[in-house]
Amino acid sequence: MVFDSKAFFDILFSTMFIMPALTTLGITMVAMALAILLGFGGAMAALSGVRPLRWLAHCYLGFFRGVPVLVQIVFWYNAIPVLTGNAINLPALIAGTIALGLNEGAYMTEIIRSGLIAVDPGQREAARALGMTRPQAMRRIVMPQALRIIVPPTGNQFIAMLKTTSLLFAIAVPEIFSTGTNIYSQNFKYFEVLAVVSIWYLALTALLTTVQKAVERRLGARKNTRRLAIPAGEHG
Amino acid sequence: MALVEIENVHKRLGGSDILRGISLKVDAGEVVCLLGASGSGKTTLLRCINHLETIDQGEIKVAGELVGYARGADGKLRAERDRLTAAKRARIGMVFQRFNLFAHLTALENVTEAPVQVLGMSPDAARRRALDLLASVGLEKKAELYPHELSGGQQQRVAIARALAMEPRLMLFDEPTSALDPELVGEVLETMRRLADGGMTMIVVTHEMSFAREVADRVVMMADGQVVEAAPPEQLFSAPAHPRTQAFLARILAAN
Ligand SMILES: Nc1ncnc2c1ncn2[C@@H]1O[C@H](COP(=O)(O)OP(=O)(O)OP(=O)(O)O)[C@@H](O)[C@H]1O
Ligand SMILES: [Mg+2]
């Protein structure tokens, strides 16, 4: 096999992947925002005292964990228009983002739920004993402590999502991977194109990792629930 | 009129009867110590008073009001709106065995949190009051520290200051010193003693017999979810009437 380094560098330094990279990043952000919202709702429902809500959360988790995300993507893009007699016919970009966000919401539900139950129940008790309402105790006392547990795995989910967006090539969303497939189906330089595609994903992953580290450092700096021994004189 | 009126309270938990017809009245300004073996229902009773726990039968009034319940037109009790219960709880301080200080907040923020969030006090006013309260428990220098940077005794004194910041008319203490190293017990008991001297109404679950003897107006002995004996400390300690009280005191004295 010969590696066509000229083709490789031409593709690498062309502007062909700039819009697709922004598309990939945009889909990742919007899908994760949707997933985090769903995750908070799902976690509240899963932990609520209302049985139908818990049941609903349970079904949501079971369904989205059990059905391949590629099936869900095609469902939103191709099946929904048929099912609704074209009343709902979403552009591929939107259908794909919704599918990814809904699916990811199930995983975020689990992450947020385990963050919430990791907070000592005595914290909520003390808040309630001081006269806080349920929502106040959640917002002021439980959630800030749960966030420190929730943030690190959520960062990992962002990075996983970034890579999962490549599945949207199946419905021809112009993201990084589908742009690559378009190129190699014309010039048959599979290896060179996939190498460039990989470099773009690696670069975006590195970017997200940097953001993740910065966020974790900021949370860590407000040293909260962590029971680390902190050298005297360093506090406050 | 009594500040706390507990009337024939029953409570089941996990399939067994934990409280079996408790009746007890506590007057304003009175200090009542609750004694009883492990599992006799002391914690459960305290948690029923501020409605952290529901009641199956009977009723509890604090300052003449039901907490967590409202009486319907038919005379039956029904659950009260959370917001109303929360407002009543705000006037009942509670101090826990495990302190339960808010781990993500400094000592000062622990004390200002509820006055600002619940009472709507201005952060400045809450801060001034919190610093006064921390000074009154001897912790003005520790205001900026987080709970994990404080000793157990210091944490419990912050917890007391936190409860007092809500200007409670009643304070509930659930074994406030039993999670402490022996050398730290004294500073917490001293804080509680000054609170009692200041006229606070207190219900204290404790195994500190000297505190019960010296500070309590009345000592209440619980066994198997019932009050078996209630008397002023000098009487209960020197001439316990009930066999359960006699056995309990004998065991405590032997342990010391
Ligand atoms: N949520 C619960 N579910 C089931 N059983 C419970 C629950 N909470 C308490 N109990 C049981 O109720 C009984 C009384 O508990 P409680 O905590 O009121 O006793 P206590 O007098 O405070 O004891 P201790 O001195 O050990 O603190 C115990 O046998 C305990 O196991
Ligand atoms: Mg107890």
Side-chain angles (χ1 to χ4, degrees):
Chain A
M1 191 204 92
V2 274
F3 178 65
D4 184 343
S5 59
K6 174 164 185 320
F8 171 76
F9 285 112
D10 281 351
I11 300 167
L12 183 60
F13 293 119
S14 78
T15 54
M16 279 184 288
F17 281 97
I18 291 178
M19 268 316 286
L22 291 175
T23 304
T24 292
L25 209 52
I27 295 169
T28 303
M29 294 302 155
V30 175
M32 281 306 294
L34 178 62
I36 289 168
L37 281 179
L38 284 169
F40 275 111
M44 299 294 181
L47 296 174
S48 92
V50 187
R51 193 185 292 261
L53 278 181
R54 286 204 303 273
W55 183 80
L56 205 67
H58 189 77
C59 291
Y60 174 58
L61 287 187
F63 181 81
F64 284 95
R65 263 207 300 233
V67 178
V69 66
L70 186 54
V71 174
Q72 296 177 42
I73 289 166
V74 176
F75 177 85
W76 275 92
Y77 184 55
N78 290 324
I80 293 259
V82 179
L83 275 181
T84 60
N86 249 348
I88 302 178
N89 189 350
L90 301 168
L93 182 72
I94 294 174
T97 306
I98 290 176
L100 290 177
L102 275 179
N103 182 68
E104 180 62 25
Y107 294 91
M108 286 309 304
T109 295
E110 274 302 83
I111 289 173
I112 293 170
R113 192 186 70 90
S114 40
L116 288 174
I117 58 181
V119 177
D120 175 7
Q123 297 284 308
R124 181 196 308 264
E125 294 253 292
R128 303 278 285 140
L130 283 163
M132 291 194 201
T133 59
R134 270 180 239 279
Q136 276 178 326
M138 174 58 73
R139 191 169 45 84
R140 299 289 309 179
I141 305 302
V142 179
M143 195 53 84
Q145 298 184 52
L147 274 184
R148 328 196 68 211
I149 303 162
I150 293 169
V151 163
T154 302
N156 296 338
Q157 293 303 107
F158 261 91
I159 288 165
M161 175 64 80
L162 182 81
K163 293 179 290 184
T164 308
T165 56
S166 61
L167 289 178
L168 297 186
F169 96 100
I171 57 172
V173 172
E175 41 73 50
I176 296 174
F177 180 61
S178 72
T179 304
T181 62
N182 289 340
I183 298 173
Y184 66 52
S185 62
Q186 281 162 28
N187 66 6
F188 304 107
K189 307 260 182 220
Y190 295 101
F191 183 79
E192 293 78 1
V193 172
L194 288 178
V196 172
V197 163
S198 301
I199 287 171
W200 274 99
Y201 281 115
L202 282 169
L204 291 182
T205 303
L207 178 72
L208 288 190
T209 306
T210 311
V211 175
Q212 179 187 19
K213 287 283 176 294
V215 171
E216 283 178 27
R217 219 175 309 117
R218 265 200 59 179
L219 270 177
R222 276 185 49 215
K223 53 173 124 30
N224 296 355
T225 50
R226 222 171 284 177
R227 307 268 168 200
L228 295 177
I230 290 170
E234 235 186 70
H235 39 64
Chain B
M1 190 184 69
L3 182 68
V4 184
E5 299 162 275
I6 302 171
E7 203 49 60
N8 190 30
V9 165
H10 289 256
K11 174 69 183 173
R12 281 180 77 80
L13 274 175
S16 49
D17 293 307
I18 307 302
L19 300 181
R20 303 187 303 147
I22 298 256
S23 295
L24 181 68
K25 284 189 169 35
V26 179
D27 286 327
E30 196 180 12
V31 176
V32 169
C33 279
L34 284 182
L35 304 186
S38 181
S40 55
K42 308 178 297 288
T43 297
T44 307
L45 179 61
L46 285 193
R47 291 166 54 83
C48 285
I49 294 174
N50 66 357
H51 197 63
L52 286 179
E53 205 78 77
T54 57
I55 302 173
D56 294 334
Q57 194 190 320
E59 62 180 57
I60 298 180
K61 283 184 183 167
V62 177
E65 290 182 311
L66 296 164
V67 182
Y69 297 95
R71 195 175 301 284
D74 57 359
K76 291 216 179 75
L77 299 190
R78 50 185 170 68
E80 180 183 53
R81 304 248 322 265
D82 181 48
R83 179 166 286 284
L84 295 176
T85 305
K88 293 176 187 171
R89 267 200 203 105
R91 304 294 310 280
I92 304 173
M94 189 171 218
V95 174
F96 301 85
Q97 187 171 355
R98 306 261 357 139
F99 329 133
N100 294 353
L101 286 185
F102 302 134
H104 62 306
L105 301 178
T106 62
L108 182 68
E109 290 166 343
N110 263 276
V111 183
T112 57
E113 179 69 14
V116 173
Q117 297 300 322
V118 176
L119 303 180
M121 192 181 279
S122 81
D124 266 353
R127 192 187 147 81
R128 277 195 301 276
R129 177 131 117 231
L131 287 171
D132 283 349
L133 281 165
L134 286 175
S136 76
V137 298
L139 291 173
E140 64 275 30
K141 295 219 176 65
K142 307 288 183 184
E144 302 301 330
L145 298 194
Y146 284 88
H148 67 93
E149 298 169 300
L150 299 171
S151 74
Q154 292 169 339
Q155 287 188 55
Q156 195 61 298
R157 284 184 283 152
V158 174
I160 293 172
R162 174 175 75 174
L164 292 177
M166 299 300 283
E167 299 194 323
R169 48 191 165 204
L170 167 67
M171 287 282 287
L172 308 173
F173 292 84
D174 189 6
E175 300 196 38
T177 59
S178 53
L180 298 177
D181 292 337
E183 72 271 21
L184 302 178
V185 168
E187 62 192 53
V188 171
L189 291 182
E190 186 47 42
T191 305
M192 291 168 60
R193 188 187 301 256
R194 272 190 285 119
L195 202 53
D197 290 344
M200 178 63 76
T201 311
M202 296 164 60
I203 303 179
V204 184
V205 176
T206 186
H207 293 300
E208 295 295 331
M209 292 304 137
S210 58
F211 180 83
R213 198 189 302 269
E214 292 159 26
V215 182
D217 297 302
R218 207 148 41 106
V219 179
V220 172
M221 173 72 196
M222 282 179 67
D224 300 331
Q226 293 181 313
V227 171
V228 298
E229 187 169 357
E234 46 291 1
Q235 183 185 332
L236 188 129
F237 286 118
S238 58
H242 195 280
R244 297 295 293 263
T245 317
Q246 293 162 0
F248 179 79
L249 291 178
R251 227 173 331 116
I252 291 271
L253 292 179
N256 287 351

